Each structure stands twice: as C-alpha cells, then as structure tokens.
Amino acid sequence: MMTKKIILTGDRPTGKLHIGHYIGSLKTRVAMQNSGEYDPYIMIADMQALTDNARDPEKIRNSLLQVALDYLAVGIDPEKSTILVQSQIPALNELTMHYLNLVSVSRLNRNPTVKNEIQQKGFGQSIPAGFLIYPVSQAADITAFKASVVPVGDDQEPMLEQTREVVRTFNNVYGQDVLVEPEGVFPPKGQGRLPGMDGNAKMSKSLGNAIYLADSEDEITKKVMSMYTDPTHIHVSDPGHIEGNVVFTYLDVFAEDKAKVAELKAQYQAGGLGDVKIKRYLNDVLQAALKPIRERREQYAQDPAAVYEILRQGSAKANVVANQTLTEVRAAIGINYFG
Ligand code: TRP
C-alpha cells in the first residue's frame, strides 16, 4: 500500500469563515481529503489567534466553534481528516521553544507577511513578542505531524520558507533526519483570492465586505443586490465593463453554466443588460451553492457538544503524533536524561 502524504493546515479562529476562505482553501482541502491520497490534519490555530487577541480571549473561544462548524459544513469529514485544536497540543509549545533557539531576531523581523500584519494591525512599538515569533510556532505545527504537504493561501509562503529553514537547521545541528521539510500547495494563479463584495481585492471581516458560509438566504440576497459592479454602467443601454466587476468575477468562480456566463458577458459589454438582471442570476447561483453548506452547518449547530467531542477526539489523536515527534526531538538534542 502506498503511504499517504501527511497534510497539515489550519486557520486562526477570529470569526466565521466566508466564501473567500471556501474558494481559497476549504474547497481544495475537501478535494484532497476525498482523493484518498492524503492523511490530513486540520488545525484550529487558537494559540496563533491569541498572539494578537490576548486581551479578547472570548472572541477566540466563540470563533473556535464557528470555525469547526464551517469545516464540517463544507465537508471536512472527521472520519477522514483529523480536526485538532492547537492549544490542546502541549508538545507544540516545547517544539516552539527548541526552534526559537535556532532562529535569529533579525530573521523574525524580516518575514514579509508578519511585517505586513504589523503595519495593518498598527502595533507601533508594542508588537507582542508572541506575535513576532508566530512563524516559529507555525513551524512547530507543521513539523509536529511530519507534514510534507501544506495547502495554504499565497500569503503563507514566507511561513513555509521559514519552516524549511528551521527543519534544515535542526537536522544539521542535531545531526539527524528527525524533521520533515514541507512543501506549500498554493491556489492556481488568479484563483487564490476572491474580492470583497465592494470590489476591494480582499474579502475580510474587518472590511465588512464578506459573504459568510453561515449567511441566511435573505442575507445573501441583500448582499448580492448591493454588490459593486461597474460605476460607469449607469443606464441599462450603456455598454458595461467586465473587468473588476465583482458580479462577473463571482459568476466565473461559482456558475457551472460557463456558456451562459459568456453570453451574459457579451450582452453586458454590448449594452442593454441591467445590473439587476445579472445580480439576480448570481443570486440564484450562490444560493444553490451555499444552501447545502448552510443546511449542514445548521444541523451541526444544533448539537455543539457533539462538535466539541469531534475536536476533543481529533486533538487526542494529534497529541499521540506530536508527542512522538517531541520525544524524537528531545533525543536528538540529548535532553532525554531519564530514558
Ligand atoms: N497562519 C495561518 C493563517 O493565518 C494559520 C495557521 C496556523 C496555519 N498554523 C498553521 C496554516 C500551520 C498552515 C499550517 O491562516
């Protein structure tokens, strides 16, 4: 039997997941899970979320359940994927400490994604130390499970790079092939990021431009009808633009009838097709795509105890694997004094 490749990936629980997460990563994870070629570990990274939310733990606590519901709703299957909670895996913290000794402060300061986030979050001179080192903790997440495959968004490439550095340094310094170098799996070019409903390149909770997997039918309709289209398309008879027109971007991603989308685009560009019509069509398409997800989510939401039980069992299984890696790491360093 071919051994399955180990996948590790995850999300920070800072809110519900939206259709940008779905297109950018959740859909790929479900497909990989169902291919039978992988052994996936999916981590709810609450420790990482706390690195910039330490004073609002309630938000992280509440979001944990929301993210778990989103996972189950899109088809992450606990029989096939191990869903785990980062804070419940103590070995990750010790691995992080060992790795931190192999990483310089100046290297931490150079991580481009972290640099961006520091700007965006406006930390100024008060960067939480835990935030600055989270890429090293992420290296612990990945290596604890000996994952070789890490499906993530493009912004996570620097984390993979830093993880590979940690792995190489560790294996060099301690002279053993204990840790595994991971490869990132990134979304196909141009498909990684769904824009917000307002036309902003990024869909995010803080920008208030997201459609959530948990949104009701009415909420979706309201959002679609208020979507950004083409500001120069004033009268129905005016020729309209497709470029940067969010309704068409979403149709390209979600509509199965590509011929119909092509026809609508041609009509819109020629003039004579109104925004309301294309929005109604997008609404039908989105409602059809999101209904089964929302219904599954509602079912799981009726029994939070059962969802926590899935997380507890996943974390228990993950602990066995992470503890084994930690034992090997301790032995490689030579701090296994008592056998
Ligand atoms: N940094 C990731 C994010 O912000 C979440 C994450 C934590 C992660 N640990 C990970 C992703 C390990 C992949 C592998 O979305």
Side-chain angles (χ1 to χ4, degrees):
M1 201 190 85
M2 208 185 72
T3 53
K4 294 185 176 187
K5 287 189 174 173
I6 299 170
I7 289 181
L8 183 289
T9 186
D11 301 276
R12 294 181 196 174
T14 55
K16 292 174 293 187
L17 301 181
H18 51 62
I19 60 173
H21 294 115
Y22 181 62
I23 294 306
S25 65
L26 297 173
K27 220 175 141 185
T28 317
R29 290 183 203 171
V30 173
M32 290 175 101
Q33 163 197 278
N34 292 337
S35 75
E37 290 172 33
Y38 301 96
D39 179 10
Y41 287 81
I42 305 192
M43 170 184 287
I44 308 185
D46 58 339
M47 295 287 282
Q48 190 176 113
L50 283 165
T51 63
D52 65 322
N53 288 284
R55 285 163 182 79
D56 192 5
E58 200 53 28
K59 173 168 120 186
I60 308 309
R61 190 185 163 75
N62 293 334
S63 301
L64 184 91
L65 179 63
Q66 297 305 318
V67 169
L69 289 172
D70 287 326
Y71 283 174
L72 296 165
V74 298
I76 305 252
D77 175 355
E79 300 284 318
K80 298 179 184 159
S81 295
T82 306
I83 310 177
L84 62 131
V85 181
Q86 190 183 28
S87 62
Q88 305 307 301
I89 318 297
L92 297 175
N93 304 309
E94 185 176 331
L95 289 174
T96 302
M97 291 303 283
H98 294 308
Y99 299 167
L100 278 171
N101 298 331
L102 303 173
V103 177
S104 71
V105 174
S106 70
R107 176 66 181 88
L108 289 170
N109 280 319
R110 278 201 307 274
N111 184 303
T113 297
V114 174
K115 267 164 92 176
N116 259 336
E117 287 177 300
I118 286 171
Q119 285 291 325
Q120 282 165 13
K121 293 176 194 289
F123 287 137
Q125 291 304 98
S126 312
I127 305 162
F131 186 83
L132 192 67
I133 66 145
Y134 90 70
V136 179
S137 137
Q138 195 161 328
D141 299 342
I142 295 167
T143 56
F145 300 96
K146 304 204 169 168
S148 60
V149 179
V150 183
V152 277
D154 295 323
D155 62 331
Q156 297 295 302
E157 169 62 23
M159 309 307 161
L160 267 301
E161 195 54 45
Q162 219 169 339
T163 300
R164 283 191 290 268
E165 283 173 33
V166 166
V167 169
R168 283 185 214 129
T169 310
F170 186 96
N171 288 342
N172 270 329
V173 171
Y174 299 113
Q176 329 225 356
D177 273 335
V178 177
L179 303 180
V180 174
E181 272 193 48
E183 286 298 326
V185 174
F186 301 97
K189 277 260 169 298
Q191 286 176 41
R193 178 156 278 172
L194 201 64
M197 307 181 292
D198 57 356
N200 192 300
K202 191 178 168 181
M203 178 177 284
S204 86
K205 182 181 45 179
S206 48
L207 294 170
N209 62 5
I211 296 176
Y212 293 96
L213 296 172
D215 278 351
S216 68
E217 201 175 325
D218 286 352
E219 282 166 320
I220 296 169
T221 304
K222 234 169 87 193
K223 288 178 179 182
V224 170
M225 296 319 279
S226 73
M227 241 175 215
Y228 179 85
T229 55
D230 169 10
T232 69
H233 188 240
I234 297 167
H235 307 289
V236 171
S237 56
D238 293 341
H241 295 86
I242 307 298
E243 279 292 289
N245 186 323
V246 178
V247 173
F248 283 106
T249 309
Y250 285 25
L251 281 175
D252 280 335
V253 172
F254 288 97
E256 287 177 11
D257 190 346
K258 303 294 174 200
K260 165 132 191 191
V261 175
E263 198 182 302
L264 288 175
K265 282 181 179 174
Q267 272 183 40
Y268 193 79
Q269 284 171 310
L273 181 59
D275 281 358
V276 171
K277 281 213 174 124
I278 56 167
K279 284 178 172 175
R280 287 222 177 100
Y281 179 54
L282 174 61
N283 189 46
D284 291 345
V285 164
L286 274 183
Q287 296 289 1
L290 297 178
K291 186 169 186 233
I293 295 176
R294 180 178 54 247
E295 287 180 350
R296 218 167 2 207
R297 199 181 192 283
E298 280 164 2
Q299 271 201 328
Y300 280 109
Q302 283 174 8
D303 193 356
V307 177
Y308 280 114
E309 180 57 19
I310 290 170
L311 300 181
R312 192 189 65 75
Q313 286 182 18
S315 301
K317 183 183 159 202
N319 264 316
V320 175
V321 179
N323 285 335
Q324 171 60 31
T325 302
L326 180 60
T327 299
E328 294 168 26
V329 161
R330 285 178 166 211
I333 300 173
I335 54 170
N336 52 341
Y337 309 117
F338 312 124

